[in-house]
Amino acid sequence: MKHIKGTLAGLTAAITLSAGTAVYADTVLNTYTWRPQDEALWTYINDNNLIDGVTVRLDTTTEDFESKLRVDMQSNRPDLFFAKAGAPWLSSWMDADVIAPISDYDVDLDMFGAAAITGSTGSDGVVYSVPVGMELQAILYNRAALEQHGISEPQTLAELEAAFATLEENGIVPMHVGARAGWWVNQVFNEVLIAGFAGDDWTRDVITGDACFTDDAYVDALRAVERWRDNGWLNPNPLADDYGAMRTDVALGTSAMMIDGIWSAGPASPMFDIEPDLELGIMPIPEGRAYGFPDFGLAANPNSNKQDAIEKVLQFVITEEFAQLYAEHVGLPAANYDLNVDDERIATAARLIAENNVAANPFFSYELNADEPSYAQLVADEVARLVAGRADAESTAQAIQNGLNGWGYVGADHCS
Amino acid sequence: MSYAIRERLERTLLLVPGVVLYGLFNFIPLLGLLYLSQVRWRGIGEMHYVGLDNFRQVLLNPYFRDQLFNAFFQNVIFFFVVIGSFLIIGTGLALLLSFRTWGRKTYQTLFFLPYPLAAAAVAFLLDLFVNTRGPLNAALTGLGITEAPIPFLGSEDTALVTLALFYSWHRMGFAIMLVLSAILAVRNDLLEAAILDGANRLQAIRHIVMPVLAPAFVLITVIIMVDVFNNADYTLLIMGPEAGPLRSTDVMGTYLFRTAFGGSAASVNTNFGMAAAIGLLTAIMIMPAAIILALRNLRRD
């Protein structure tokens, strides 16, 4: 009995000591994110002690992430947080002094491309997050649905519209839009159209106010949507279908194409739960630019008392080792390295972003989103109206222009 | 101590807990809301005092003003659909339940069953039910009633009414119980006297039961009015803060939420101050009706 007691006491002491050692071994950084798809990667990094002396503990909030961040920042939490791309999103955290300039840390951002850095830059020109992965938004098509009707990947706009006509004749919805989701309309659908139709000059100039939304460059993109709608190439009830319904129909093959991010074609996509044998092709609007952007960046709380550990994490995130792990675990190309990956989807996205990316992103520009109604809000409202047949291309463009002029945005004097 | 003083003291002491609680949880927050409505604040960082600018923006800036009027007008429609179905269907079902008919208890349980369910669960189930791929549309097209599925939540013409009917279905049990309890309070001797005097069942209901039900109707109306103008659970759960399609399901609650926390389409330019101003304006808009109804009820008592 005495031996048993002694053994138990010894075991308890050993467990307590080891647990205590484990706690004191690593600095734990509370890190807020809205992305559950990144959890496996960070578990792997922690389990393999890839950042010496630091454990990154992810706290995932998929809904209303900003509210949680806003409330918890008032009690100086978290240490790190995932930051959405673009100056408009960064602005409220900058104003409240709860996001640190990356220049405060010994982190070299030279390897990152312009698109990645733009997404992490605030309205004051300072970089506030380390870009992590690149996203590509494009046309995603159900390969089987196209092959069944003898259609190969369209290379020109004319071929795309000929494919639409063939699909429609065969009872398949050529292009499915989930216009019930405002976020999809403005940051996916409209931005891919702009990259595809409006080109570099217009996207650069519209941000500085030198180009207008009523210019043909943009109106032509809307005219294409109007044409697709009037020819019956879009699903019949676009406002009834949300993002999930759009992906379901493309997975089932009742619709052939949709405009979406490559995350939908990744291994964790629910589309493969619907159709395990699904094969998705990826292409930008034919003859147009691709739309790649930094999906998010890793940002730091300047008021955290764990600045050394934060710096270690940021230094690790910019390494090629992390980029490779990110591609393997999350399935997206890195923002700073040209990786050699086997996955065709990641390789295609990386190639399109490197070779053919559009020069600027209106959705991320502070100049167009600094006040209400913002460009993002106007697009969500007006383009949904266009898709639903309540407006034509010209009135849609004019409504967006008028809304921005209402608060005197950068192009208000130039664009009537 | 005289009886009058003692009575006044007792009355005051009895009132104190209520007044303190009301003051702590209602009056002081209301004062806070008054202050909040005069600042521009994103929910974090410094508050900027802007005086009455939030009210000016909401009432005079066409972008915000149009949303306000649209949300208010649609809230009124939402309210009338709900209260109409409560007073007509709810009263009808309560009357049926008041008769000593076979299976009365079972029906009573069935009618009340949805009420304790969580709004999120009800919203999810009903969303699936009316989906273009859902059972309702399958039945309608299967029976040849419609050629194509009806986008109940995807059309500006039907989405708001569909949501109001969701609300009515979920909370119908509440209306039925209130009306039923009022019906059961009707004095039997009066009903018997009416029957002896030759009144039929409908006449007895119209001249004896209905007057007794009036206070219950007013109570339901006031409770539902305050609820539907201040909450927007179904719209937020199903349509999101953007209140689509094309803002056709926007009500005061969604407008306020979108202003404070941002919509799903754009969540950067939030302003808690303007949201507070919208909340106060909502209170001002519904207060007269609520007060008139409540006073009328008191006078009747």
Side-chain angles (χ1 to χ4, degrees), chain B residues 50-86:
Chain B
V50 292
L52 297 176
D53 190 57
N54 286 323
F55 290 95
R56 195 183 58 78
Q57 289 277 332
V58 170
L59 294 170
L60 300 179
N61 181 322
Y63 177 70
F64 295 107
R65 186 196 57 209
D66 293 352
Q67 288 186 72
L68 177 79
F69 289 151
N70 179 51
F72 182 74
F73 177 66
Q74 288 177 169
N75 221 146
V76 171
I77 294 173
F78 190 99
F79 167 71
F80 276 113
V81 172
V82 171
I83 204 67
S85 58
F86 275 14

Side-chain angles (χ1 to χ4, degrees), chain A residues 64 66-67 69-70 73-74 88-89 91-93 95-96 98 180 182-183 186-187 237 239-241 248-249 252 254 363 369-374 376-377 380-381 384-385 388 390, chain B residues 40-46 61 63-64 127 131-133 149-156 238-239 242 244-247 257-258 260-270 272:
Chain A
D64 210 7
E66 286 80 7
S67 288
L69 196 54
R70 207 180 281 135
M73 275 297 189
Q74 291 169 30
W89 193 88
S91 64
S92 60
W93 317 107
D95 291 348
V98 294
R180 188 166 147 185
W183 70 268
N186 64 13
Q187 70 187 67
N237 298 309
L239 297 179
D241 291 348
T248 301
D249 276 37
L252 291 172
T254 49
F363 182 79
N369 293 286
D371 210 332
E372 289 291 323
S374 65
Q377 188 64 62
D381 295 344
R385 209 178 290 280
R390 310 290 189 276
Chain B
R40 183 174 173 82
W41 187 48
R42 286 174 160 185
I44 188 167
E46 205 177 331
N61 181 322
Y63 177 70
F64 295 107
D127 186 18
N131 195 285
T132 46
R133 293 170 179 280
I150 300 171
F152 288 101
L153 291 172
S155 160
E156 306 103 290
I238 299 173
M239 315 306 293
E242 297 299 332
L246 307 178
R247 296 264 193 276
F257 183 95
R258 198 168 56 245
F261 301 103
S264 54
S267 57
V268 289
N269 299 314
T270 55
F272 278 67

Side-chain angles (χ1 to χ4, degrees), chain B residues 2-112:
Chain B
S2 73
Y3 178 78
I5 293 173
R6 202 175 144 190
E7 190 195 17
R8 205 173 295 162
L9 189 67
E10 275 179 2
R11 201 183 291 168
T12 309
L13 285 173
L14 283 170
L15 276 174
V16 165
V19 170
V20 169
L21 287 174
Y22 183 84
L24 276 177
F25 294 107
N26 284 62
F27 192 67
I28 294 173
L30 189 68
L31 289 180
L33 199 66
L34 276 175
Y35 172 71
L36 194 59
S37 68
Q38 295 174 58
V39 300
R40 183 174 173 82
W41 187 48
R42 286 174 160 185
I44 188 167
E46 205 177 331
M47 288 182 180
H48 302 282
Y49 183 77
V50 292
L52 297 176
D53 190 57
N54 286 323
F55 290 95
R56 195 183 58 78
Q57 289 277 332
V58 170
L59 294 170
L60 300 179
N61 181 322
Y63 177 70
F64 295 107
R65 186 196 57 209
D66 293 352
Q67 288 186 72
L68 177 79
F69 289 151
N70 179 51
F72 182 74
F73 177 66
Q74 288 177 169
N75 221 146
V76 171
I77 294 173
F78 190 99
F79 167 71
F80 276 113
V81 172
V82 171
I83 204 67
S85 58
F86 275 14
L87 296 188
I88 297 168
I89 302 171
T91 307
L93 292 173
L95 280 169
L96 287 175
L97 288 174
S98 71
F99 302 145
R100 297 187 185 283
T101 43
W102 182 82
R104 188 168 64 109
K105 287 284 171 197
T106 311
Y107 282 115
Q108 203 169 315
T109 311
L110 280 176
F111 292 151
F112 196 69

Side-chain angles (χ1 to χ4, degrees), chain A residues 206-268:
Chain A
V206 81
I207 292 170
T208 56
D210 295 319
C212 310
F213 287 91
T214 47
D215 292 349
D216 276 344
Y218 182 58
V219 179
D220 279 348
L222 301 178
R223 283 190 190 116
V225 177
E226 190 181 337
R227 192 165 60 243
W228 299 350
R229 180 197 75 193
D230 292 346
N231 284 321
W233 295 339
L234 303 181
N235 43 315
N237 298 309
L239 297 179
D241 291 348
D242 59 12
Y243 183 64
M246 177 181 79
R247 298 205 296 182
T248 301
D249 276 37
V250 173
L252 291 172
T254 49
S255 296
M257 304 184 201
M258 61 181 181
I259 290 179
D260 199 7
I262 56 165
W263 60 80
S264 284

